[in-house]
Amino acid sequence: MGKLLIVGSMAFDEIETPFGKTGKILGGAATFISLAANQFKVDSAVVSVVGEDFPQDYLDILTDRNIDITGVDIVKGGKTFYWKGKYHNDLNSRDTLVTELNTLGDFNPIVPENFKDADVVMLGNLHPSIQMGVINQMKERPKLIILDTMNFWMDNTWEELIDVIKHIDIITINDEEARQLTSEYSLVKAAAKIQQMGPKYVVIKKGEHGALLFHNEHVFFAPALPLEEVFDPTGAGDTFAGGFAGYLAQTKNLSFESIKNAIIHGSNLASFCVERFGTERMLELQKDEVDKRLLQFKELTQFNIELT
Amino acid sequence: MGKLLIVGSMAFDEIETPFGKTGKILGGAATFISLAANQFKVDSAVVSVVGEDFPQDYLDILTDRNIDITGVDIVKGGKTFYWKGKYHNDLNSRDTLVTELNTLGDFNPIVPENFKDADVVMLGNLHPSIQMGVINQMKERPKLIILDTMNFWMDNTWEELIDVIKHIDIITINDEEARQLTSEYSLVKAAAKIQQMGPKYVVIKKGEHGALLFHNEHVFFAPALPLEEVFDPTGAGDTFAGGFAGYLAQTKNLSFESIKNAIIHGSNLASFCVERFGTERMLELQKDEVDKRLLQFKELTQFNIELT
């Protein structure tokens, strides 16, 4: 059982999809990552920040699952990060209606003493300087540092992003962001360039079109499971990252074969996340459902061709 | 070795991509289908129509490969179907600049006597009444009828299309067309509806995002091979269909496992087609290259997860 350190936002999300809308519900990258990672045998801790308005019930969701939240700063008199968005009919694009950074704007992450030797560090989408600050607090170089980021940081904090990317092992990024980061349209070329920037492994997330893993001359692809209905895509990318990081923290096996499996586990968990609003589906997820759907992933992708 | 009957256009294509442009070159659905199918041990014949302006050299390309062209009508004084198109920078979309149906506008396909007992019939994208006319000429029900179509026929010949779809086993269609045909956004739901319309197998082509195979409660997915550069997508869908049909005509095995393999073979051949303009790459393609890339497909998709 490995130690997994998760850094990222905890938030109130308010979501509208073609299927309905929510009030303010539990959200945030660290929330989705930790719930997904919790499907594996890991000892995990969340480093994040919330305001005094953040319900104890939401914190209990994590502590009930033995997720360490001593690194979650509860700012007196502060308000929690709030995001409101509306998805278009195809669920592939969305408009952000409100973003209130609140306490996240002054987030100064403090890694709990007993997680400064974590095996795996999962840096959720945040300001790259904050991500770098977490790496610098580690006692020794973790076995694996995974970083998620987005176009906003490419637009606004390019140099800080390039700097933190030098210090990580695996980057998870979507296809458009990979293109923006490298000025290469071809994802094969983009992944090669990103590997030269630091990370030995590049995971390119393509949403409903699956995810690609690049490492030297190796490429692996995992499709998204075709679903009858995608209900709410919020948190799917973070759930993917959480499953990915959680599996690797459990096995501590960093071979290419193991990282391939991590991609499948991440895709598998993400397929549940989108079935309900927010964290709803992840909170009730049972191991037998997860296992059953892993078999569906096998059926979906495995074939047996003999060369003649 | 099975008999494969291929019906579709033969054409002059004129293509512009971000990488360059061609003059009038060899194109057409039947051309791409037959060249791809020719990678397998099949006895194949093309039914098509061209004008007197169609070069003997182009016909020789097929006859040199033992593809029967007695069903290719060469119309005296007629001109060959001509298509001119320009691809956008992302190569995922294109503008049609010129379409001259010419002799294809009066195409009345005549199935050669010795292919009226073909095992597999591949109906390339054409007016659905012409596709139906071919089915009606068969001496007995072929083991397998595969049909390709496009949104143009949904817009203009809906009833004829619905009618021919009742008589086929497998439809190949792209994602947007599947949605248009069924008014379902979810491809899982769309595929279920299409199966109720006739075909027992539904193949949904997603271009660079791969292809899905649906059959009852089974789903199989084949990615497109990630390439450094896509040079010209023209003919990729027909090459996919040709590899798919060619493999099934060779094996005459119509199990789900076999049809999965056909999807992989089709995807594999399509990955070559896009590397050069028009048919260029397919004309020089060697078996060892094809085999090598099949291994890449395995590496790309195969994993080994043990449930714990």
Side-chain angles (χ1 to χ4, degrees), chain A residues 72-103:
Chain A
V72 177
D73 186 15
I74 303 170
V75 178
K76 285 250 167 75
K79 289 181 71 183
T80 302
F81 172 47
Y82 166 59
W83 175 81
K84 182 175 180 177
K86 181 177 172 171
Y87 287 88
H88 301 160
N89 278 337
D90 65 2
L91 289 169
N92 280 324
S93 53
R94 66 186 187 190
D95 294 324
T96 288
L97 303 178
V98 182
T99 306
E100 291 173 9
L101 277 183
N102 299 329
T103 52

mmCIF file of all heavy atoms in Angstrom, chain A residues 72-103:
data_model
loop_
_atom_site.group_PDB
_atom_site.id
_atom_site.type_symbol
_atom_site.label_atom_id
_atom_site.label_comp_id
_atom_site.label_asym_id
_atom_site.label_seq_id
_atom_site.Cartn_x
_atom_site.Cartn_y
_atom_site.Cartn_z
ATOM 1 N N VAL A 72 -5.988 20.083 4.513
ATOM 2 C CA VAL A 72 -7.032 20.948 3.959
ATOM 3 C C VAL A 72 -7.182 22.165 4.875
ATOM 4 O O VAL A 72 -7.632 22.047 6.022
ATOM 5 C CB VAL A 72 -8.377 20.202 3.827
ATOM 6 C CG1 VAL A 72 -9.464 21.160 3.317
ATOM 7 C CG2 VAL A 72 -8.240 19.004 2.884
ATOM 8 N N ASP A 73 -6.790 23.298 4.370
ATOM 9 C CA ASP A 73 -6.835 24.542 5.141
ATOM 10 C C ASP A 73 -8.261 25.105 5.117
ATOM 11 O O ASP A 73 -8.820 25.346 4.047
ATOM 12 C CB ASP A 73 -5.842 25.533 4.499
ATOM 13 C CG ASP A 73 -5.707 26.810 5.318
ATOM 14 O OD1 ASP A 73 -6.127 26.828 6.491
ATOM 15 O OD2 ASP A 73 -5.171 27.784 4.756
ATOM 16 N N ILE A 74 -8.848 25.261 6.307
ATOM 17 C CA ILE A 74 -10.194 25.843 6.390
ATOM 18 C C ILE A 74 -10.044 27.300 6.829
ATOM 19 O O ILE A 74 -9.745 27.581 7.988
ATOM 20 C CB ILE A 74 -11.076 25.054 7.376
ATOM 21 C CG1 ILE A 74 -11.132 23.580 6.938
ATOM 22 C CG2 ILE A 74 -12.487 25.652 7.428
ATOM 23 C CD1 ILE A 74 -11.761 22.651 7.961
ATOM 24 N N VAL A 75 -10.211 28.213 5.906
ATOM 25 C CA VAL A 75 -9.904 29.620 6.166
ATOM 26 C C VAL A 75 -11.066 30.295 6.902
ATOM 27 O O VAL A 75 -12.191 30.372 6.364
ATOM 28 C CB VAL A 75 -9.605 30.369 4.848
ATOM 29 C CG1 VAL A 75 -9.326 31.846 5.138
ATOM 30 C CG2 VAL A 75 -8.435 29.718 4.115
ATOM 31 N N LYS A 76 -10.778 30.772 8.103
ATOM 32 C CA LYS A 76 -11.789 31.466 8.918
ATOM 33 C C LYS A 76 -12.344 32.663 8.164
ATOM 34 O O LYS A 76 -11.582 33.484 7.643
ATOM 35 C CB LYS A 76 -11.155 31.961 10.233
ATOM 36 C CG LYS A 76 -10.896 30.868 11.248
ATOM 37 C CD LYS A 76 -11.856 31.004 12.467
ATOM 38 C CE LYS A 76 -11.837 29.747 13.323
ATOM 39 N NZ LYS A 76 -10.598 29.659 14.127
ATOM 40 N N GLY A 77 -13.638 32.728 8.083
ATOM 41 C CA GLY A 77 -14.278 33.863 7.418
ATOM 42 C C GLY A 77 -14.151 33.833 5.899
ATOM 43 O O GLY A 77 -14.674 34.699 5.202
ATOM 44 N N GLY A 78 -13.456 32.818 5.388
ATOM 45 C CA GLY A 78 -13.251 32.719 3.941
ATOM 46 C C GLY A 78 -14.395 31.998 3.253
ATOM 47 O O GLY A 78 -15.202 31.309 3.899
ATOM 48 N N LYS A 79 -14.473 32.174 1.950
ATOM 49 C CA LYS A 79 -15.474 31.450 1.136
ATOM 50 C C LYS A 79 -14.777 30.439 0.233
ATOM 51 O O LYS A 79 -13.647 30.652 -0.238
ATOM 52 C CB LYS A 79 -16.282 32.443 0.286
ATOM 53 C CG LYS A 79 -17.254 33.305 1.092
ATOM 54 C CD LYS A 79 -18.037 34.261 0.190
ATOM 55 C CE LYS A 79 -19.059 33.524 -0.679
ATOM 56 N NZ LYS A 79 -19.744 34.477 -1.585
ATOM 57 N N THR A 80 -15.467 29.355 -0.036
ATOM 58 C CA THR A 80 -14.909 28.271 -0.854
ATOM 59 C C THR A 80 -14.997 28.621 -2.341
ATOM 60 O O THR A 80 -15.952 29.275 -2.779
ATOM 61 C CB THR A 80 -15.686 26.965 -0.574
ATOM 62 O OG1 THR A 80 -15.598 26.679 0.823
ATOM 63 C CG2 THR A 80 -15.153 25.804 -1.394
ATOM 64 N N PHE A 81 -14.003 28.168 -3.096
ATOM 65 C CA PHE A 81 -13.990 28.285 -4.561
ATOM 66 C C PHE A 81 -15.346 27.823 -5.126
ATOM 67 O O PHE A 81 -15.863 26.777 -4.745
ATOM 68 C CB PHE A 81 -12.840 27.426 -5.113
ATOM 69 C CG PHE A 81 -12.794 27.285 -6.602
ATOM 70 C CD1 PHE A 81 -12.926 28.374 -7.456
ATOM 71 C CD2 PHE A 81 -12.581 26.024 -7.185
ATOM 72 C CE1 PHE A 81 -12.866 28.230 -8.835
ATOM 73 C CE2 PHE A 81 -12.525 25.872 -8.562
ATOM 74 C CZ PHE A 81 -12.664 26.970 -9.377
ATOM 75 N N TYR A 82 -15.880 28.624 -6.055
ATOM 76 C CA TYR A 82 -17.215 28.338 -6.592
ATOM 77 C C TYR A 82 -17.178 28.424 -8.108
ATOM 78 O O TYR A 82 -16.698 29.409 -8.681
ATOM 79 C CB TYR A 82 -18.215 29.346 -6.022
ATOM 80 C CG TYR A 82 -19.560 29.420 -6.711
ATOM 81 C CD1 TYR A 82 -20.391 28.299 -6.796
ATOM 82 C CD2 TYR A 82 -20.009 30.628 -7.257
ATOM 83 C CE1 TYR A 82 -21.633 28.380 -7.416
ATOM 84 C CE2 TYR A 82 -21.249 30.713 -7.886
ATOM 85 C CZ TYR A 82 -22.052 29.581 -7.960
ATOM 86 O OH TYR A 82 -23.277 29.671 -8.576
ATOM 87 N N TRP A 83 -17.688 27.398 -8.754
ATOM 88 C CA TRP A 83 -17.738 27.376 -10.220
ATOM 89 C C TRP A 83 -19.153 27.031 -10.677
ATOM 90 O O TRP A 83 -19.777 26.111 -10.145
ATOM 91 C CB TRP A 83 -16.750 26.348 -10.787
ATOM 92 C CG TRP A 83 -16.839 26.204 -12.274
ATOM 93 C CD1 TRP A 83 -16.269 27.027 -13.216
ATOM 94 C CD2 TRP A 83 -17.536 25.194 -13.017
ATOM 95 N NE1 TRP A 83 -16.573 26.587 -14.479
ATOM 96 C CE2 TRP A 83 -17.356 25.474 -14.392
ATOM 97 C CE3 TRP A 83 -18.313 24.088 -12.651
ATOM 98 C CZ2 TRP A 83 -17.901 24.685 -15.408
ATOM 99 C CZ3 TRP A 83 -18.872 23.303 -13.664
ATOM 100 C CH2 TRP A 83 -18.662 23.601 -15.019
ATOM 101 N N LYS A 84 -19.654 27.811 -11.619
ATOM 102 C CA LYS A 84 -20.975 27.508 -12.177
ATOM 103 C C LYS A 84 -20.842 27.400 -13.691
ATOM 104 O O LYS A 84 -20.249 28.281 -14.341
ATOM 105 C CB LYS A 84 -21.959 28.623 -11.824
ATOM 106 C CG LYS A 84 -23.376 28.363 -12.338
ATOM 107 C CD LYS A 84 -24.354 29.434 -11.874
ATOM 108 C CE LYS A 84 -25.748 29.139 -12.398
ATOM 109 N NZ LYS A 84 -26.733 30.128 -11.913
ATOM 110 N N GLY A 85 -21.351 26.325 -14.240
ATOM 111 C CA GLY A 85 -21.206 26.117 -15.677
ATOM 112 C C GLY A 85 -22.436 25.475 -16.290
ATOM 113 O O GLY A 85 -23.244 24.843 -15.600
ATOM 114 N N LYS A 86 -22.555 25.676 -17.612
ATOM 115 C CA LYS A 86 -23.690 25.114 -18.339
ATOM 116 C C LYS A 86 -23.162 24.360 -19.559
ATOM 117 O O LYS A 86 -22.440 24.934 -20.382
ATOM 118 C CB LYS A 86 -24.615 26.253 -18.781
ATOM 119 C CG LYS A 86 -25.834 25.783 -19.526
ATOM 120 C CD LYS A 86 -26.770 26.928 -19.881
ATOM 121 C CE LYS A 86 -27.870 26.403 -20.799
ATOM 122 N NZ LYS A 86 -28.930 27.382 -21.020
ATOM 123 N N TYR A 87 -23.524 23.119 -19.659
ATOM 124 C CA TYR A 87 -23.078 22.293 -20.790
ATOM 125 C C TYR A 87 -24.012 22.479 -21.982
ATOM 126 O O TYR A 87 -25.224 22.632 -21.820
ATOM 127 C CB TYR A 87 -23.036 20.818 -20.394
ATOM 128 C CG TYR A 87 -21.878 20.520 -19.476
ATOM 129 C CD1 TYR A 87 -22.013 20.651 -18.099
ATOM 130 C CD2 TYR A 87 -20.640 20.146 -19.990
ATOM 131 C CE1 TYR A 87 -20.938 20.407 -17.253
ATOM 132 C CE2 TYR A 87 -19.567 19.900 -19.146
ATOM 133 C CZ TYR A 87 -19.721 20.034 -17.782
ATOM 134 O OH TYR A 87 -18.664 19.798 -16.953
ATOM 135 N N HIS A 88 -23.420 22.429 -23.169
ATOM 136 C CA HIS A 88 -24.209 22.475 -24.402
ATOM 137 C C HIS A 88 -24.859 21.111 -24.641
ATOM 138 O O HIS A 88 -24.575 20.148 -23.940
ATOM 139 C CB HIS A 88 -23.315 22.884 -25.561
ATOM 140 C CG HIS A 88 -22.674 24.230 -25.358
ATOM 141 N ND1 HIS A 88 -21.551 24.633 -26.029
ATOM 142 C CD2 HIS A 88 -23.001 25.251 -24.519
ATOM 143 C CE1 HIS A 88 -21.218 25.846 -25.631
ATOM 144 N NE2 HIS A 88 -22.079 26.243 -24.714
ATOM 145 N N ASN A 89 -25.698 21.062 -25.637
ATOM 146 C CA ASN A 89 -26.474 19.842 -25.879
ATOM 147 C C ASN A 89 -25.624 18.606 -26.131
ATOM 148 O O ASN A 89 -26.007 17.502 -25.770
ATOM 149 C CB ASN A 89 -27.442 20.045 -27.044
ATOM 150 C CG ASN A 89 -28.708 20.740 -26.574
ATOM 151 O OD1 ASN A 89 -29.033 20.684 -25.383
ATOM 152 N ND2 ASN A 89 -29.391 21.393 -27.481
ATOM 153 N N ASP A 90 -24.458 18.789 -26.770
ATOM 154 C CA ASP A 90 -23.634 17.617 -27.078
ATOM 155 C C ASP A 90 -22.776 17.197 -25.875
ATOM 156 O O ASP A 90 -22.086 16.194 -25.932
ATOM 157 C CB ASP A 90 -22.763 17.866 -28.312
ATOM 158 C CG ASP A 90 -21.731 18.965 -28.066
ATOM 159 O OD1 ASP A 90 -21.665 19.492 -26.936
ATOM 160 O OD2 ASP A 90 -20.990 19.287 -29.003
ATOM 161 N N LEU A 91 -22.799 17.978 -24.807
ATOM 162 C CA LEU A 91 -22.048 17.718 -23.570
ATOM 163 C C LEU A 91 -20.541 17.757 -23.767
ATOM 164 O O LEU A 91 -19.783 17.476 -22.843
ATOM 165 C CB LEU A 91 -22.446 16.372 -22.946
ATOM 166 C CG LEU A 91 -23.842 16.342 -22.335
ATOM 167 C CD1 LEU A 91 -24.243 14.919 -21.997
ATOM 168 C CD2 LEU A 91 -23.892 17.190 -21.070
ATOM 169 N N ASN A 92 -20.089 18.098 -24.975
ATOM 170 C CA ASN A 92 -18.653 18.177 -25.233
ATOM 171 C C ASN A 92 -18.094 19.564 -24.981
ATOM 172 O O ASN A 92 -16.882 19.760 -24.948
ATOM 173 C CB ASN A 92 -18.335 17.773 -26.674
ATOM 174 C CG ASN A 92 -18.311 16.277 -26.829
ATOM 175 O OD1 ASN A 92 -17.887 15.573 -25.921
ATOM 176 N ND2 ASN A 92 -18.777 15.802 -27.961
ATOM 177 N N SER A 93 -18.948 20.538 -24.856
ATOM 178 C CA SER A 93 -18.479 21.901 -24.621
ATOM 179 C C SER A 93 -19.386 22.535 -23.583
ATOM 180 O O SER A 93 -20.506 22.090 -23.345
ATOM 181 C CB SER A 93 -18.511 22.698 -25.925
ATOM 182 O OG SER A 93 -19.790 22.619 -26.520
ATOM 183 N N ARG A 94 -18.868 23.574 -22.948
ATOM 184 C CA ARG A 94 -19.632 24.186 -21.875
ATOM 185 C C ARG A 94 -19.270 25.660 -21.762
ATOM 186 O O ARG A 94 -18.202 26.083 -22.198
ATOM 187 C CB ARG A 94 -19.352 23.485 -20.549
ATOM 188 C CG ARG A 94 -17.910 23.661 -20.069
ATOM 189 C CD ARG A 94 -17.618 22.830 -18.826
ATOM 190 N NE ARG A 94 -16.298 23.148 -18.285
ATOM 191 C CZ ARG A 94 -15.700 22.464 -17.324
ATOM 192 N NH1 ARG A 94 -16.294 21.401 -16.815
ATOM 193 N NH2 ARG A 94 -14.514 22.805 -16.875
ATOM 194 N N ASP A 95 -20.161 26.420 -21.192
ATOM 195 C CA ASP A 95 -19.872 27.809 -20.857
ATOM 196 C C ASP A 95 -19.692 27.912 -19.346
ATOM 197 O O ASP A 95 -20.497 27.371 -18.583
ATOM 198 C CB ASP A 95 -21.038 28.718 -21.269
ATOM 199 C CG ASP A 95 -21.223 28.754 -22.780
ATOM 200 O OD1 ASP A 95 -20.200 28.713 -23.490
ATOM 201 O OD2 ASP A 95 -22.379 28.795 -23.243
ATOM 202 N N THR A 96 -18.628 28.619 -18.950
ATOM 203 C CA THR A 96 -18.468 28.940 -17.542
ATOM 204 C C THR A 96 -19.293 30.187 -17.252
ATOM 205 O O THR A 96 -19.119 31.223 -17.897
ATOM 206 C CB THR A 96 -16.982 29.172 -17.207
ATOM 207 O OG1 THR A 96 -16.313 27.905 -17.248
ATOM 208 C CG2 THR A 96 -16.816 29.768 -15.820
ATOM 209 N N LEU A 97 -20.224 30.093 -16.339
ATOM 210 C CA LEU A 97 -21.099 31.227 -16.026
ATOM 211 C C LEU A 97 -20.518 32.053 -14.881
ATOM 212 O O LEU A 97 -20.604 33.274 -14.885
ATOM 213 C CB LEU A 97 -22.498 30.726 -15.668
ATOM 214 C CG LEU A 97 -23.166 29.868 -16.759
ATOM 215 C CD1 LEU A 97 -24.540 29.379 -16.281
ATOM 216 C CD2 LEU A 97 -23.316 30.647 -18.063
ATOM 217 N N VAL A 98 -19.942 31.385 -13.883
ATOM 218 C CA VAL A 98 -19.362 32.095 -12.735
ATOM 219 C C VAL A 98 -18.098 31.357 -12.299
ATOM 220 O O VAL A 98 -18.081 30.125 -12.247
ATOM 221 C CB VAL A 98 -20.343 32.114 -11.530
ATOM 222 C CG1 VAL A 98 -19.728 32.897 -10.361
ATOM 223 C CG2 VAL A 98 -21.707 32.695 -11.917
ATOM 224 N N THR A 99 -17.033 32.105 -12.025
ATOM 225 C CA THR A 99 -15.877 31.546 -11.320
ATOM 226 C C THR A 99 -15.524 32.502 -10.190
ATOM 227 O O THR A 99 -15.168 33.643 -10.446
ATOM 228 C CB THR A 99 -14.634 31.425 -12.237
ATOM 229 O OG1 THR A 99 -14.974 30.684 -13.401
ATOM 230 C CG2 THR A 99 -13.496 30.719 -11.524
ATOM 231 N N GLU A 100 -15.667 32.023 -8.970
ATOM 232 C CA GLU A 100 -15.226 32.828 -7.827
ATOM 233 C C GLU A 100 -14.108 32.069 -7.134
ATOM 234 O O GLU A 100 -14.347 31.062 -6.469
ATOM 235 C CB GLU A 100 -16.379 33.061 -6.842
ATOM 236 C CG GLU A 100 -17.466 33.976 -7.388
ATOM 237 C CD GLU A 100 -18.668 34.061 -6.460
ATOM 238 O OE1 GLU A 100 -18.579 33.539 -5.323
ATOM 239 O OE2 GLU A 100 -19.701 34.619 -6.876
ATOM 240 N N LEU A 101 -12.861 32.561 -7.297
ATOM 241 C CA LEU A 101 -11.713 31.853 -6.719
ATOM 242 C C LEU A 101 -11.803 31.801 -5.195
ATOM 243 O O LEU A 101 -11.474 30.803 -4.572
ATOM 244 C CB LEU A 101 -10.411 32.539 -7.122
ATOM 245 C CG LEU A 101 -9.854 32.176 -8.498
ATOM 246 C CD1 LEU A 101 -8.520 32.878 -8.714
ATOM 247 C CD2 LEU A 101 -9.678 30.666 -8.648
ATOM 248 N N ASN A 102 -12.207 32.950 -4.612
ATOM 249 C CA ASN A 102 -12.299 33.031 -3.136
ATOM 250 C C ASN A 102 -11.007 32.563 -2.477
ATOM 251 O O ASN A 102 -9.931 32.995 -2.904
ATOM 252 C CB ASN A 102 -13.528 32.262 -2.630
ATOM 253 C CG ASN A 102 -14.829 32.851 -3.199
ATOM 254 O OD1 ASN A 102 -14.895 34.060 -3.445
ATOM 255 N ND2 ASN A 102 -15.825 32.037 -3.440
ATOM 256 N N THR A 103 -11.088 31.667 -1.493
ATOM 257 C CA THR A 103 -9.876 31.255 -0.762
ATOM 258 C C THR A 103 -8.838 30.581 -1.659
ATOM 259 O O THR A 103 -7.649 30.579 -1.334
ATOM 260 C CB THR A 103 -10.231 30.267 0.376
ATOM 261 O OG1 THR A 103 -11.020 29.215 -0.173
ATOM 262 C CG2 THR A 103 -11.010 30.965 1.473
#
